[in-house]
Amino acid sequence: MVLALGVLAAGAAAQGLGGGAAEDKAALLAFKAGGDMEGDLTSWDDATAPCASPGWESYRSGWRGVECHGAGGRVARLFLRGTGVTGSVEPLAALAQLTELDLSETAVTGSVEPLAALRQLTGLSLRETGVTGSVEPLAALTK
């Protein structure tokens, strides 16, 4: 499933994370808890924050596959194409500032409908996954 979307509308406290950044971290860790068959998400741990760690500006360093709007900011992009991640996509619906999501060629499952909550989403690729459901709720994200 590949969609191109236009935008309709343009321990965390101890680490000094704002509410949104803490929610992003919790969502990513919940997603990771669904499974990581090949250890691709070993850089995702409770001791660090996805957008406060060195490498926040690149999905190739820091928290693997995660790119942020700025240091200490919110998760902007998640690129995990071809990794050994499993589990459900539903926890990712809490990433309110996510603009791009690529889980192609993974073993993720779940329903696509909750992703309609991602109002900033402009790119979504779920090709060759076990994600099911109607893309109709995502239509509200398009112009």
Side-chain angles (χ1 to χ4, degrees), residues 15 25 29 32 41-50 53 63:
Q15 292 178 340
K25 179 179 178 177
L29 290 175
K32 177 185 177 181
L41 305 182
T42 56
S43 60
W44 296 22
D45 64 56
D46 197 41
T48 62
S53 304
W63 278 39

Side-chain angles (χ1 to χ4, degrees), residues 73-93:
R74 302 291 303 270
V75 174
R77 295 173 194 87
L78 187 58
F79 297 109
L80 295 173
R81 175 187 304 234
T83 62
V85 297
T86 61
S88 176
V89 297
E90 280 94 349
L92 301 178

Side-chain angles (χ1 to χ4, degrees), residues 45-65:
D45 64 56
D46 197 41
T48 62
C51 298
S53 304
W56 62 264
E57 72 281 11
S58 171
Y59 65 90
R60 296 176 196 268
S61 59
W63 278 39
R64 181 176 180 186

Side-chain angles (χ1 to χ4, degrees), residues 31 69 73 75 92 100:
F31 175 73
H69 285 293
V75 174
L92 301 178
E100 295 180 52

Side-chain angles (χ1 to χ4, degrees), residues 107-120:
V108 297
T109 59
S111 173
V112 72
E113 286 95 345
L115 299 181
L118 300 173
R119 299 285 181 210
Q120 303 299 316

